[in-house]
């Protein structure tokens, strides 16, 4: 029973170099499916599919050492190695740590796509409230090993003072729109991402016939 459960859960570590070990990218990604005792044909299919799903070219990277890759590429290969096992629960520990803004968005986009296409449960462990707002449906906040909050993004992020007392803070874009709302501007205070902010500003200008 425990072995079956383990086979349904995949985890990507915060530091991909701790997770990569094989001499080539192909061997690294294929390791999980091999341990699942799949046929050679299915192992090859899953390996190619997983590498492609993280935006890497199989022919270009399969024969390379994973340690020759950039930080962002290592992160993608580590993710591919887990996706190749097609877990029903995917756990990611600070998956965007150390990446530049573009690299962060690439990883989060891959995670969202996997969730939407497979219906799998994704557990994102992160201190980045922006990343959480972009990705999560529900948010669980832990404080000293106890559940402090649980709810939707708007429900949790509305408790700004409590979050800040725990060393967390809502995204900067949220603070801006709450300040605008408090000053009498007809904008929603429940804005948590830059794209939401752009949409809200467009609605504000449209309501005033300014666009």
């Amino acid at each position: 029973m425990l072995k079956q459960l383990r086979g349904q859960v995949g985890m990507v570590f915060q530091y991909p170099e701790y997770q990569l070990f094989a001499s080539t990218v192909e061997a690294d990604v294929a390791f999980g499916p091999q341990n699942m005792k799949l046929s050679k044909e299915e192992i090859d299919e899953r390996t190619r599919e997983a590498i492609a799903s993280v935006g890497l070219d199989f022919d270009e990277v399969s024969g390379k050492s994973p340690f020759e890759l950039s930080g962002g590429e290592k992160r993608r290969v580590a993710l591919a190695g887990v996706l190749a096992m097609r877990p029903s629960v995917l756990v990611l520990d600070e998956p965007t740590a150390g990446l530049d803004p573009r690299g962060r968005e690439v990883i989060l986009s891959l995670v969202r796509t996997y969730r939407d296409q497979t219906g799998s449960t994704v557990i994102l462990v992160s201190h980045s409230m922006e990343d959480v707002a972009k990705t999560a449906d529900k948010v669980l906040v832990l404080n000293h090993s106890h559940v402090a909050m649980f709810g939707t993004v708007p429900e949790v992020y509305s408790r700004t003072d409590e979050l800040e007392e725990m060393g967390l803070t809502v995204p900067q874009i949220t603070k801006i729109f709450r300040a605008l709302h408090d000053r009498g501007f007809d904008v929603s205070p429940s804005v948590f991402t830059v794209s939401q902010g752009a949409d809200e500003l467009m609605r504000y200008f449209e309501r005033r016939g300014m666009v």
Side-chain angles (χ1 to χ4, degrees):
M1 180 66 176
L2 185 58
K3 185 176 181 180
Q4 289 179 329
L5 289 175
R6 286 173 177 165
Q8 295 175 26
V9 179
M11 181 168 182
V12 179
F13 298 164
Q14 178 175 349
Y15 300 103
E17 57 269 27
Y18 294 173
Q19 192 161 343
L20 304 175
F21 63 93
S23 59
T24 67
V25 168
E26 181 177 7
D28 211 300
V29 176
F31 180 77
Q34 286 172 345
N35 278 342
M36 296 170 69
K37 309 300 183 184
L38 302 176
S39 67
K40 185 179 183 304
E41 292 74 18
E42 186 164 1
I43 291 170
D44 183 63
E45 177 186 339
R46 289 194 181 201
T47 301
R48 290 174 177 273
E49 179 184 283
I51 291 174
S53 74
V54 297
L56 296 174
D57 184 288
F58 179 85
D59 293 330
E60 182 179 333
V61 303
S62 62
K64 289 184 177 180
S65 165
F67 302 103
E68 296 176 1
L69 305 177
S70 68
E73 289 171 332
K74 286 180 183 178
R75 197 71 52 95
R76 294 196 209 184
V77 171
L79 179 57
V82 176
L83 297 186
M85 294 184 286
R86 299 177 182 172
S88 56
V89 178
L90 177 63
V91 182
L92 302 111
D93 181 15
E94 300 284 1
T96 63
L99 298 180
D100 59 25
R102 187 176 186 281
R104 295 171 73 91
E105 183 51 42
V106 167
I107 292 297
L108 292 177
S109 178
L110 292 171
V111 171
R112 290 192 293 266
T113 298
Y114 178 77
R115 178 194 62 191
D116 295 342
Q117 290 183 347
T118 66
S120 298
T121 298
V122 175
I123 299 174
L124 174 68
V125 181
S126 178
H127 286 85
S128 171
M129 300 297 272
E130 289 85 356
D131 289 356
V132 171
K134 290 178 181 178
T135 311
D137 297 318
K138 294 288 184 69
V139 182
L140 185 148
V141 179
L142 294 176
N143 188 30
H144 298 295
S145 303
H146 296 286
V147 176
M149 304 179 193
F150 179 70
T152 63
V153 171
E155 288 170 348
V156 171
Y157 281 41
S158 66
R159 300 165 66 177
T160 307
D161 293 341
E162 295 173 70
L163 289 170
E164 290 183 343
E165 287 177 5
M166 290 183 281
L168 298 171
T169 182
V170 296
Q172 192 67 34
I173 192 71
T174 304
K175 293 182 178 180
I176 292 171
F177 273 84
R178 285 192 176 158
L180 289 171
H181 183 268
D182 291 344
R183 286 168 171 74
F185 289 89
D186 183 21
V187 295
S188 171
S190 299
V191 171
F192 310 114
T193 67
V194 172
S195 61
Q196 289 176 354
D199 291 342
E200 185 62 24
L201 284 177
M202 184 61 68
R203 284 191 290 269
Y204 175 83
F205 292 134
E206 286 175 347
R207 286 194 296 267
R208 280 152 184 74
M210 300 171 67
V211 294

